[in-house]
């Protein structure tokens, strides 16, 4: 079975590459796979501009402040020194404090150092402020956690700072601010914060409807289950559960709570997950032919989502009454069905996250569904499990592969900032 799993993965990767090449040759106008053949034109940030365009310590940027780290605190072990020779550290305190930072901050800084040298040969990245143990910054500054750095170029040419800020965005910093004429401020999410690991999931307490009747907790789904979903026209049907694209048993997550009143429903899902929303001008009472998929973090009161009507025979557009945030510790689960949709707590949702294009995501999983079907046909006694069920909790390997491909072929702003955490390399 191990040999079959290895062969399946090799065939799957080869199939994806073939699809990417062919689509690059045939896609029409606009951004598409295969379009990034020339270096992307980078636009410098304007003075006082910050990206993303939200406050630094909010969910869509670097997340909340988690408390000051001192040399005597338990969390001091979260900081790691950066001895990259391609980075100049000012270290005016002569304590080495500016070299200390979280691993995430270190990874982004090292990536930026390479970009700086490529952009301006002979110039290096310079860090003027890193971890602050002396209280020189404002209250609740992320410098106190080693999650923020202030940077310049080694030649201190201020005409370069706008482009330096752009390079920092491209390097993956979670918030970049052209704060001062004298430096750029950059920060990252906490290593273990709910902001850094929101993903695209539902809580383990969410329920699905089974074909044989009754409901089941989403965390208890297994290959072979058939759950209620809907096709592109909004017709209800039962679809095979294939796999968990992400599974984190018992983890703490921050969920968006979407509530409706007529029909009454309550759905919890993470910021980057897709939810089908009806256009305001569409007065149709059933089906979803004109619906679009939005990130949960973009759903607002007054918009309409699709809820299972009384009797369970049709979907009805229901106005969102409230949107709130709630932290739960019941785990996080991202089920994938063959249809690519699923009804969770009686609300129709996409199985996909990270990119706000349901059809693109469903297309990208076509090779996975094909190989899953082939294995099921060849090994009907549970042969689909090696591909469908990850051996351990976490993000499915196929999702990781697609995320890496997407990060390469799409602009960074095409992916939700809280979409996925990949291991540091």
């Amino acid at each position: 079975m191990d040999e079959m799993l290895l062969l399946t993965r090799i065939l799957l990767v080869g199939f994806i590459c073939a699809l990417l090449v062919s689509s690059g040759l045939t896609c029409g106008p606009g951004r598409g796979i295969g379009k990034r053949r020339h270096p992307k034109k980078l636009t410098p940030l304007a003075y006082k501009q910050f990206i993303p365009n939200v406050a630094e310590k909010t969910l869509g940027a670097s997340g909340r402040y988690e408390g000051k780290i001192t040399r005597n605190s338990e969390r001091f072990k979260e900081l790691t020194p950066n001895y990259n020779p391609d980075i100049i550290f000012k270290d005016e305190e002569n304590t080495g404090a500016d070299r200390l930072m979280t691993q995430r901050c270190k990874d982004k800084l090292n990536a930026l150092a390479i970009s700086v040298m490529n952009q301006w040969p002979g110039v290096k990245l310079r860090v003027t402020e890193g971890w602050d143990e002396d209280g020189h910054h404002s209250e609740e500054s992320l410098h106190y956690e080693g999650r923020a750095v202030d940077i310049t170029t080694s030649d201190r040419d201020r005409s370069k700072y706008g482009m330096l800020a752009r390079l920092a965005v491209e390097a993956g910093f979670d918030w970049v601010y052209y704060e001062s004429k004298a430096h750029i401020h950059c920060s990252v999410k906490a290593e273990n914060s709910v902001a850094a690991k929101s993903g695209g999931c539902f809580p383990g307490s969410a329920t699905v409807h089974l074909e044989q009747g009754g409901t089941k907790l989403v965390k208890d789904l297994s290959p072979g289950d058939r759950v209620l979903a809907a096709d592109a026209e909004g017709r209800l049907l039962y679809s095979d559960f294939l796999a968990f694209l992400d599974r984190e048993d018992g983890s703490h997550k921050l969920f968006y709570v979407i509530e409706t009143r007529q029909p009454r429903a309550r759905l919890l899902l993470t910021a980057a997950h897709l939810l089908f929303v009806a256009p305001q001008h569409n007065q149709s009472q059933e089906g979803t032919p004109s619906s679009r998929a939005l990130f949960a973090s973009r759903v607002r009161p007054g918009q309409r989502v699709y809820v299972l009507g009384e009797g369970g025979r049709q979907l009805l557009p229901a106005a969102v009454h409230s949107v709130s945030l709630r932290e739960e510790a019941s785990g996080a689960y991202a089920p994938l069905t063959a249809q690519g949709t699923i009804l969770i707590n009686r609300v129709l949702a996409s199985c996909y996250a990270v990119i706000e294009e349901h059809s693109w995501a469903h297309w990208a999983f076509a090779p996975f569904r094909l190989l899953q079907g082939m294995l099921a046909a060849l090994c009907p006694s549970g042969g689909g499990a090696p591909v469908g069920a990850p051996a351990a909790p976490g993000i499915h390997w196929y999702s990781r592969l697609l995320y890496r491909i997407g990060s390469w072929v799409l602009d960074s702003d095409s992916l939700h900032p809280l979409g996925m955490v990949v291991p540091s390399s």
Side-chain angles (χ1 to χ4, degrees), residues 80-91:
T80 180
N82 190 332
Y83 294 112
N84 189 335
D86 296 323
I87 303 175
I88 297 172
F89 291 88
K90 185 177 179 182
D91 194 22

Side-chain angles (χ1 to χ4, degrees), residues 49-185:
Q49 182 182 0
F50 45 86
I51 294 180
N53 190 29
V54 295
E56 179 180 27
K57 287 172 281 189
T58 57
L59 187 64
S62 293
R64 64 190 180 191
Y65 175 72
E66 298 193 346
K68 186 175 183 178
I69 295 178
T70 67
R71 291 184 185 269
N72 296 322
S73 67
E74 176 68 20
R75 293 179 59 208
F76 184 68
K77 63 184 180 183
E78 297 177 14
L79 304 183
T80 180
N82 190 332
Y83 294 112
N84 189 335
D86 296 323
I87 303 175
I88 297 172
F89 291 88
K90 185 177 179 182
D91 194 22
E92 59 189 353
E93 299 90 355
N94 293 317
T95 61
D98 288 338
R99 292 182 180 272
L100 293 174
M101 57 196 69
T102 64
Q103 184 63 48
R104 183 175 178 83
C105 187
K106 180 178 179 179
D107 292 340
K108 306 307 178 187
L109 199 66
N110 289 344
L112 177 58
I114 295 173
S115 298
V116 168
M117 291 188 295
N118 289 336
Q119 183 73 23
W120 302 293
V123 176
K124 290 186 177 183
L125 178 62
R126 176 172 174 260
V127 175
T128 60
E129 289 287 343
W131 174 57
D132 181 4
E133 59 180 329
D134 299 320
H136 293 157
H137 291 83
S138 61
E139 187 178 1
E140 297 192 354
S141 167
L142 298 187
H143 282 284
Y144 298 134
E145 295 184 62
R147 292 166 52 192
V149 289
D150 293 340
I151 58 173
T152 72
T153 55
S154 60
D155 59 2
R156 306 186 199 183
D157 181 355
R158 296 188 178 188
S159 67
K160 293 186 173 76
Y161 290 179
M163 181 57 73
L164 177 62
R166 172 58 65 182
L167 293 178
V169 172
E170 295 298 314
F173 278 98
D174 298 305
W175 198 70
V176 178
Y177 180 28
Y178 195 163
E179 182 178 33
S180 159
K181 293 287 187 180
H183 70 263
I184 304 299
H185 176 83

Side-chain angles (χ1 to χ4, degrees), residues 295-370:
F295 290 132
S297 59
R298 293 186 58 204
V299 175
R300 297 290 183 266
Q303 292 179 316
R304 298 187 301 164
V305 298
Y306 294 95
V307 179
L308 189 64
E310 294 298 329
R313 295 186 177 182
Q314 65 177 350
L315 292 172
L316 299 175
V320 174
H321 169 66
S322 69
V323 179
S324 58
L325 290 171
R326 175 185 176 89
E327 188 172 347
E328 286 208 359
S330 59
Y333 304 84
L336 173 67
T337 67
Q339 190 65 37
T341 63
I342 190 169
L343 267 82
I344 298 280
N345 289 1
R346 300 176 49 246
V347 180
L348 179 65
S350 170
C351 291
Y352 308 117
V354 182
I355 183 170
E356 206 169 33
E357 288 286 350
H358 171 82
S359 59
W360 289 12
H362 194 57
W363 174 87
F365 273 89
F368 180 86
R369 293 193 300 275
L370 177 62

